[in-house]
Amino acid sequence: MLRFGCQKFLNALPILRGLETDSGEYALTLDSPSRLARMLHERQLDAAMVPAIEYLRNPDYVIVPDVCVAALGKVGSVNLYCRKPPDETGLVALDPSSLTGVMLVKVLMLKRFGAWPKYFVAGHVRLRDLSRTEADAVLAIGDEALGRPPDGYQALDLAEQWFQMTALPFVFAVCCAHRGTDLGGFDGTLKASLAKGLGEIPEIAAEAAPGAGLTRERLESYLAQNIRYNLGPAEIQGLRRFFKEVVEANLWTEERDLEFYRG
């Protein structure tokens, strides 16, 4: 049975829409991006939606085509909450749930704002607790970041900042597998599941919004307008540019070309 992992965020709902929780052909694991990355690395999963930076860090990985989590401009769910201007920020608290978000903060602080603050890992951040931290800025990732920050904080949408710097989409997550893994047609199953989800976003939003503390309209807008799910030419260009920026910022040693799964 193929083992597939996906992020336990609202933006995963369209990807998962056509998958069956009790399928005899595959088993689903829903968890944080960082835990999924570890499970895939340790071969506890055969394929998983993982932070895009994991592909750069693992030369044995290939990308399963067509499916991603990306944004062209504002994404809404990956924000840096600042109580000082970015170029005056001296201390940043990081949410470690996605290494891609962490790397993006560091690239933007250096390349866009000309700053190189100190960083520390603060764990999962709740917006209501922002005022308790000593940091000048706090990274929040996922569903929590869709809420409103307390007074005194400016929310910098990191995908929007990336777009203003590069005019490219930013790819937060891709589906990866170890080179040589036989997905047994699951890549097609995943693509079909996403297609079903994209056609049912109003229904998904109506079902999920109450439990998420969002209005149906807000969640539908987020899934339909903020998130891009198809890994097309523009997203691939954005992914390559991100890897280039990471290496130039001395956050990783070398770039690697994109290698795709061919079932």
Side-chain angles (χ1 to χ4, degrees):
M1 181 182 294
L2 185 132
R3 302 161 299 173
F4 174 66
C6 195
Q7 68 272 21
K8 198 175 182 180
F9 290 156
L10 291 169
N11 59 31
L13 295 177
I15 298 173
L16 298 169
R17 187 65 168 180
L19 299 182
E20 301 174 8
T21 56
D22 58 350
S23 169
E25 299 178 1
Y26 50 82
L28 295 178
T29 295
L30 302 181
D31 214 323
S32 71
S34 60
R35 290 195 187 100
L36 293 173
R38 184 176 67 250
M39 293 176 72
L40 182 63
H41 181 73
E42 296 174 354
R43 296 183 181 268
Q44 297 174 33
L45 295 170
D46 300 302
M49 296 295 301
V50 294
I53 197 67
E54 294 298 326
Y55 175 81
L56 182 64
R57 286 159 44 92
N58 292 275
D60 186 48
Y61 284 1
V62 294
I63 297 174
V64 179
D66 302 321
V67 179
C68 71
V69 175
L72 182 65
K74 189 172 184 178
V75 66
S77 56
V78 183
N79 295 326
L80 186 68
Y81 293 99
C82 306
R83 50 186 172 191
K84 290 183 178 180
D87 58 353
E88 298 177 11
T89 295
L91 186 63
V92 178
L94 299 174
D95 182 338
S97 62
S98 173
L99 186 56
T100 295
V102 169
M103 290 289 199
L104 180 56
V105 166
K106 294 180 178 181
V107 166
L108 289 173
M109 292 300 284
L110 178 63
K111 293 294 190 75
R112 180 155 173 75
F113 301 113
W116 193 257
K118 294 181 180 179
Y119 299 94
F120 72 96
V121 175
H124 182 65
V125 176
R126 294 189 179 277
L127 297 187
R128 64 174 180 265
D129 297 330
L130 285 183
S131 60
R132 300 178 186 176
T133 178
E134 60 181 337
D136 301 317
V138 178
L139 173 65
I141 295 171
D143 301 347
E144 179 71 22
L146 291 170
R148 295 178 62 87
D151 293 340
Y153 283 84
Q154 174 192 7
L156 287 183
D157 187 296
L158 297 190
E160 184 177 37
Q161 294 297 320
W162 170 262
F163 178 75
Q164 291 176 3
M165 187 175 83
T166 67
L168 291 169
F170 188 81
V171 179
F172 289 97
V174 291
C175 184
C176 284
H178 286 270
R179 187 184 294 107
T181 299
D182 182 3
L183 298 183
F186 182 77
D187 51 324
T189 300
L190 186 64
K191 185 177 179 180
S193 177
L194 174 60
K196 177 178 174 63
L198 292 178
E200 298 181 2
I201 283 180
E203 293 85 350
I204 292 172
E207 294 165 9
L214 300 171
T215 65
R216 179 192 60 77
E217 293 80 8
R218 174 71 180 94
L219 182 54
E220 183 175 344
S221 174
Y222 170 64
L223 296 176
Q225 299 178 27
N226 293 107
I227 303 295
R228 294 162 69 103
Y229 289 99
N230 295 308
L231 187 62
E235 287 74 27
I236 289 172
Q237 186 180 358
L239 195 56
R240 288 192 170 114
R241 174 67 181 273
F242 176 54
F243 292 162
K244 179 176 182 290
E245 295 288 355
V246 166
V247 172
E248 288 184 356
N250 293 317
L251 298 173
W252 194 249
T253 53
E254 60 183 355
E255 297 178 58
R256 62 173 297 208
D257 198 13
L258 302 188
E259 181 181 350
F260 292 92
Y261 173 80
R262 304 298 179 197

